Amino acid sequence: MRLKLDWIARDVANQLWFTVGLYCLLGVTAALSALFLDRLIPDAVSSRVGADAVDRILGIIAASMLAVATFSISTMVQAFASAATGATPRAAQLVVEDRTAQRALATFIGAFVFSLVGLIALSTGAYGSSGRLILFAATVVVVVLIVVMLLRWIHRLSRLGRLGETIDQVERAVNKAIDDRRQNPCLGGRRAPLLEPPGTPVVSRKIGYVRRIDMGGLSRIAERGQFDICVTALPGTFATLDRRLAVMVACHDDEIAREVANCFQIGDQRSYEQDPRFGLIVLSEVASRALSPAVNDPGTAIDVIGTMVRVLSNWTDGADCPRDEIKYPRIFVPAVAARDLLDDAVAPIARDGAGLVEVGMRLQKAMQALANLGNAEMTEAATAHAELALARARQALSFAPDIQRLSSASTRDT
C-alpha cells in the first residue's frame, strides 16, 4: 500500500499542474506571512528602513509576470506539439515532465499570485509598517528568483521541444530504466524458469498496460502464505481480462489471487520506469517517422541508431541474477532478453530504411559494435538482426555496388 501511494505521489508530482499549484501556494504563503511576522520586527527598525515603494514593485511584478507566464504557456504548448509531431506522441510526455520548464512556469505564475495577494492585502491596510518591511524583503527575494529563472528559461528555450533534445530525453529515460534493472536484476527476484510452472493463474482485472509491479507487495504475500509466485507479465505487457499476470505455485486461494493482481499497476499508457523496452520502441518510432516519405530525414534515423548503440551498450540481460542482489527469493521474474530489445529497437528501422544504403550501413556497423561487446546473448541477437537487415536491403536495393557494400559491412562477414 505504501509503495502504491508512492507511485501515485510520483505520478502527481510529475504533472505540470501540481508544480504550478505548489508554487502558487508558496506565493500566497509568502505574501500573507508578513501579517503574522510583523511582531518580530521592532518599530525602530521598520521606521529606519523605508518600504513604501513595495506596492509599486508588486504592481510591476504582477503586470510583467502575467505576460511572461502567458508567453511561457504558449511556448510550452508549441514544444509539446513539436515533440508529438516531430518525434512521436509517446515522447511528448517527457517534454511535459521537463523539470526546468515546469519550474519556470510555476515561478512566473507563483510570482504573479504573490504580487496579486500582496497588492490586495496592501489595499485593505492589513500591513503595518513592520509588515510592509517584511513584504518588501519577500519581494526582493521573489525578484531575485524571477531573474535567475528567466536566465535558466531563456537557455532552456533554445532546446525545448526540438527533435535532438527530445531524443536525448528519451535516451536519459531509457538509461535510467536500464540502470535500475542492473541494480535489481529480475526486478530483485529470482530468474523465472523457461516453462511456466503449474499453479493458480492470476489474471488481470483491468485492460491496459502493466506499468509497474509492486515486488515488495508480492514478496509479503508469498512469505505470508509460504508459496512462490512466478510473474508472467513484465512491465509493458498489454493485459486483458484473460491475460495471466502471475502464477501462484501451491496456492489456490482466490482472495490471495486478487491481492496478487492488485500488485500490478495497470494503466492506459506504458511507463519508462520499469520498462526499458518502451524507451527503445519510442526511439525506433522517431527513426521510422524520419524515414517516412513525408519527412525523408535519414540523418535523424542515423542519429537514433547511434543513440541505441549507446543505450544497448549499457544493457546487461540479468541472466546471472547474483545471490546478493536477490531481494525477493520467493518471486520469480522473467529476464528481458537481448533479442527482445533488438526486436523493438532495430527491426522497425531495418524495415523502413531498407531502401537507403546509408541507413543500412549504419545499422550494420551498429550491430557489429553490439556483437563485439563480449556478451554472448547480445552477440547472437546482433548477428541475427544484421543478417535480417541485410536480407531486407537486398530486396529493396537494386544497385549492385550498394548491396556489396552492405554485405561487406555485415557482422556475418567480419
Side-chain angles (χ1 to χ4, degrees):
M1 183 66 181
R2 183 181 302 174
L3 184 58
K4 290 183 179 180
L5 292 177
D6 181 63
W7 289 344
I8 295 174
R10 197 180 313 170
D11 290 339
V12 171
N14 287 330
Q15 299 299 315
L16 178 60
W17 65 265
F18 176 81
T19 306
V20 174
L22 180 61
Y23 276 55
C24 289
L25 181 61
L26 292 175
V28 173
T29 303
L32 296 180
S33 62
L35 296 175
F36 306 98
L37 298 179
D38 57 349
R39 302 172 185 175
L40 303 178
I41 306 297
D43 294 336
V45 175
S46 60
S47 61
R48 294 176 184 175
V49 180
D52 294 334
V54 64
D55 52 347
R56 292 192 295 271
I57 298 175
L58 289 176
I60 295 173
I61 294 176
S64 59
M65 286 302 100
L66 181 59
V68 172
T70 303
F71 166 77
S72 299
I73 292 174
S74 62
T75 302
M76 292 179 66
V77 171
Q78 293 176 1
F80 302 156
S82 176
T85 57
T88 171
R90 262 65 60 189
Q93 182 61 31
L94 294 176
V95 181
V96 175
E97 296 176 359
D98 185 270
R99 302 307 298 175
T100 301
Q102 288 186 353
R103 289 168 183 165
L105 181 60
T107 298
F108 302 147
I109 297 180
F112 170 73
V113 172
F114 164 80
S115 58
L116 197 61
V117 173
L119 286 173
I120 293 174
L122 282 172
S123 64
T124 61
Y127 295 118
S129 58
S130 299
R132 293 173 69 89
L133 176 60
I134 295 175
L135 182 62
F136 177 77
T139 303
V140 172
V141 174
V142 170
V143 169
V144 173
L145 291 176
I146 291 172
V147 172
V148 172
M149 188 52 66
L150 276 174
L151 295 176
R152 294 184 61 189
W153 184 227
I154 291 172
H155 174 72
R156 192 73 185 97
L157 282 177
S158 63
R159 297 177 58 86
L160 185 66
R162 298 202 174 195
L163 183 57
E165 176 64 16
T166 304
I167 294 174
D168 291 342
Q169 287 180 307
V170 177
E171 180 181 2
R172 288 192 291 269
V174 179
N175 279 329
K176 186 178 184 306
I178 288 177
D179 291 340
D180 292 342
R181 182 58 64 91
R182 281 193 311 201
Q183 295 173 9
N184 296 285
C186 303
L187 296 177
R190 296 181 182 273
R191 184 166 186 173
L194 295 178
L195 296 178
E196 184 178 303
T200 303
V202 178
V203 297
S204 175
R205 303 174 63 187
K206 299 179 181 178
I207 297 177
Y209 291 98
V210 178
R211 291 174 56 86
R212 302 181 181 98
I213 300 177
D214 183 0
M215 293 293 293
L218 290 177
S219 180
R220 287 189 293 271
I221 295 172
E223 292 291 345
R224 185 184 64 201
Q226 293 298 301
F227 61 90
D228 295 334
I229 297 176
C230 181
V231 174
T232 58
L234 287 173
T237 302
F238 184 71
T240 56
L241 298 180
D242 59 347
R243 178 65 165 86
R244 292 190 177 188
L245 302 177
V247 173
M248 301 188 303
V249 181
C251 179
H252 307 284
D253 192 309
D254 292 338
E255 182 62 31
I256 295 179
R258 283 191 288 269
E259 292 183 27
V260 172
N262 289 333
C263 292
F264 291 78
Q265 185 189 42
I266 309 296
D268 295 336
Q269 298 178 348
R270 296 175 70 168
S271 171
Y272 293 90
E273 187 174 341
Q274 292 184 350
D275 185 10
R277 294 180 62 179
F278 180 51
L280 293 172
I281 291 174
V282 172
L283 287 174
S284 68
E285 287 180 352
V286 175
S288 293
R289 183 185 291 268
L291 292 172
S292 65
V295 179
N296 191 22
D297 181 17
T300 295
I302 291 173
D303 183 31
V304 169
I305 293 172
T307 300
M308 288 181 173
V309 172
R310 289 195 299 270
V311 169
L312 293 172
S313 297
N314 297 329
W315 172 257
T316 56
D317 59 9
D320 296 331
C321 287
R323 288 184 179 273
D324 58 349
E325 295 190 18
I326 296 178
K327 301 177 181 178
Y328 314 109
R330 286 192 172 273
I331 310 301
F332 293 81
V333 180
V336 178
R339 183 62 181 262
D340 294 334
L341 295 174
L342 291 183
D343 286 345
D344 296 330
V346 178
I349 302 177
R351 177 198 63 212
D352 297 330
L356 297 174
V357 64
E358 61 270 28
V359 176
M361 288 291 296
R362 183 55 61 92
L363 264 180
Q364 295 297 329
K365 293 178 180 179
M367 294 303 99
Q368 182 178 354
L370 293 176
N372 293 335
L373 289 177
N375 183 291
E377 187 180 4
M378 183 65 75
T379 298
E380 179 182 357
T383 303
H385 272 280
E387 294 177 355
L388 290 175
L390 180 60
R392 289 180 181 274
R394 282 173 173 166
Q395 291 188 359
L397 295 172
S398 58
F399 191 54
D402 287 342
I403 299 177
Q404 181 60 38
R405 287 175 60 196
L406 286 176
S407 299
S408 63
S410 174
T411 55
R412 186 187 61 182
D413 300 329
T414 56

